[in-house]
Amino acid sequence: MARGKGISIGLKLAAVSTGVITLLVAMVGYLNYSEVRRAYEDAASRDQQRRLRALRDNAVVTGRRLAHSVGLALSGNDYAALAELVSSAQQDDPQCRYGRILDLDGLVMADTDPEVQRSIHEGKHQRLEEKPPEQVAIRIRCPVQVPDCPTEKLTPAAVLADVRDELTFEVSVPVARGEQRFGTIVFGYTLSQLRQELGAAQERMQQMLAASLRRALLFGALAILLGTLVAVLQGMGMTRTLQKLAHAATRIAHGDFSSRAPIVSRDEIGQLAGAFNDMAGRLEGLMEERTRQATLEKEMEVARVIQETLIPPRDLVRRGSLQFVGAFASASICGGDWWTYSDLAGGRVLVAIGDVTGHGVPSAMITAAAKSALDTLRHTTGSDLSVTYLLEEMNKTIYAAAQRKLVMTFFASIYDESTRTLTFSNAGHNFPYLIHPGGDGRPPRVGVLMTRGNRLGDDWESHFIARTATLSPGDVVVWYTDGLIEGTNPQGEAFGDRRLRRVLTELCERSPEEILEATLRAFREHQQEAALQDDITLVVARVG
């Protein structure tokens, strides 16, 4: 059943290669982008910690520098000097958002906030809820209620968050002289500038990440495009080769066995094309051989049909008191066995049997020559035909036709109804059996029609001897070829002359047809379905 054209191998290869390359590029790009982003974030975090430490160190240095002057002012109750000191410290550092001085009880003694400072002049000191620390302290303050956050854990995200837009970095420095404490200096630094710097740094980081992502996408797209192009070109080359291979296979399928596939490479595709060409060459040779064999088989079939016309049908023949029937089986399409009968003048009948060495078409051609010679002699001699003259003339015919490459055994016999005699002559053939049925308690007697002579085609000058046997009513004559007694079963045991004699002795009281069929059945049982090694011919006659 014809099928529609499917997706080509080249397209499949390009699609799979593109998919694999895309997946790999995406994985590498994602890992690279993640690594770059992590590196930028780590760098930003380290920069923030560095800036926060710088603010802290600067505040501590400023507080300790003012501690002596603030201690003197507190010990002398010079509050105006306190306000001036804390204001000057704030003015010197633009990142300082506020500054205040506290006594040991947490009362605000000076503040950079004008309102708070006015309240202090009026004698209204504010008190902080928490007690001033006894040593340098750092913390983060926010207008909304959030837990104190150590500077080491203050991330860029926390600094940049909108809710912490008013974050204050507060540093408390104790004021003391020896073991005596006087108060605490508190500076609060706004993180808005740090927020702006970190925001700008984060924006630059985002721009760099975006640029890195664009480069990764560009290189990834180029890699995918290049990989797809290579896969397409490779697939097209492979597809073209396979298409040529398929085209050559199609031409071979339509009978053009000279078609070959081009070999354009030494890889597996080239090896496949080479193997295909070898197969095509072998197919071409096999088809030529098959054509020759078919022609030969046809010729042999014609020869077989012709040979069948040379052999009488398997029907009972009645000529006066003589009844006979014959059977022939070939070991191949054509055989070298042959038997025939002919009516002669004076109520006589000729029965002849022959066997050409070997079997097949050459043997069949010799049997055809023998048949032609016999018919010619029968028509030219009329009532004067004798068995010796017949063998001598047929010998010359076979000798001339086969040039001693093939020879033929032959047994000719003429039955004379008027005298009930059988005159015979032999050219190297198996001796036929003459069986006299028993009677009055006597067993049957088996004899042979014995006479000798050279095979037909052995010698141009061969001469033959004729003998005559008188037949009695009930006598059985059996002609056969050596394929019958020499046929072996799978165990290598031949049917043999003794077994044939025993079978014929047991059957001699029956009709020719029954003797023939029973003998052939016994032979087939002995063969056990084994193939024939040689042609077999069997002719059985009975005198009435």
Side-chain angles (χ1 to χ4, degrees), residues 88-106:
S88 63
Q90 179 192 22
Q91 293 174 359
D92 291 341
D93 192 346
Q95 297 188 63
C96 183
R97 184 172 182 178
Y98 63 85
R100 62 174 64 95
I101 300 175
L102 309 176
D103 65 3
L104 295 177
D105 296 327

Side-chain angles (χ1 to χ4, degrees), residues 238-252 256-265 268-281 284:
M238 183 185 301
T239 302
R240 281 196 300 268
T241 304
L242 292 177
Q243 285 176 345
K244 293 178 181 179
L245 186 61
H247 179 67
T250 302
R251 293 180 60 185
I252 289 178
D256 182 10
F257 294 97
S258 62
S259 178
R260 297 293 183 271
I263 301 177
V264 296
S265 63
E268 288 79 359
I269 300 297
Q271 295 174 5
L272 177 61
F276 175 84
N277 292 338
D278 291 341
M279 179 196 69
E284 185 176 13

Side-chain angles (χ1 to χ4, degrees), residues 40 43-55 93-95 156-157 159-160 165 190-206:
Y40 282 149
S45 178
R46 289 192 298 270
D47 182 64
Q48 171 188 296
Q49 298 300 329
R50 181 182 60 77
R51 291 173 183 271
L52 289 175
R53 284 194 297 270
L55 287 174
D93 192 346
Q95 297 188 63
V159 175
L160 298 176
D165 190 33
T190 180
L191 297 179
S192 58
Q193 182 178 356
L194 178 60
R195 180 177 182 276
Q196 294 176 358
E197 294 175 356
L198 291 177
Q202 187 176 28
E203 184 177 355
R204 289 194 301 273
M205 180 189 71
Q206 294 296 336

Side-chain angles (χ1 to χ4, degrees), residues 248-317:
T250 302
R251 293 180 60 185
I252 289 178
H254 286 83
D256 182 10
F257 294 97
S258 62
S259 178
R260 297 293 183 271
I263 301 177
V264 296
S265 63
R266 296 184 179 180
D267 55 10
E268 288 79 359
I269 300 297
Q271 295 174 5
L272 177 61
F276 175 84
N277 292 338
D278 291 341
M279 179 196 69
R282 293 178 180 270
L283 281 177
E284 185 176 13
L286 288 175
M287 290 305 299
E288 292 177 354
E289 180 64 25
R290 179 57 183 167
T291 301
R292 289 193 297 268
Q293 184 177 359
T295 303
L296 179 60
E297 289 178 354
K298 185 176 180 180
E299 293 173 352
M300 293 184 68
E301 180 65 21
V302 173
R304 183 187 65 82
V305 173
I306 294 174
Q307 187 178 34
E308 289 178 351
T309 63
L310 306 180
I311 299 174
R314 194 166 173 171
D315 298 326
L316 182 65
V317 180

Side-chain angles (χ1 to χ4, degrees), residues 8-31:
S8 67
I9 294 179
L11 184 58
K12 291 180 181 178
L13 178 62
V16 172
S17 300
T18 301
V20 172
I21 294 173
T22 302
L23 180 61
L24 292 176
V25 169
M27 292 176 60
V28 173
Y30 173 76
L31 294 176

Side-chain angles (χ1 to χ4, degrees), residues 66-75 82 85 101 175 182 184-185:
L66 295 178
H68 179 72
S69 300
V70 171
L72 292 176
L74 286 176
S75 61
L82 291 176
L85 287 172
I101 300 175
V175 178
F182 296 100
T184 302
I185 302 174

Side-chain angles (χ1 to χ4, degrees), residues 11 108 114-115 127 153 165 178 184 208 230 345 378 432 471:
L11 184 58
V108 179
E115 296 294 331
R127 184 185 297 275
K153 296 183 179 180
D165 190 33
T184 302
M208 295 176 67
V230 172
R378 181 172 58 85
L471 303 181

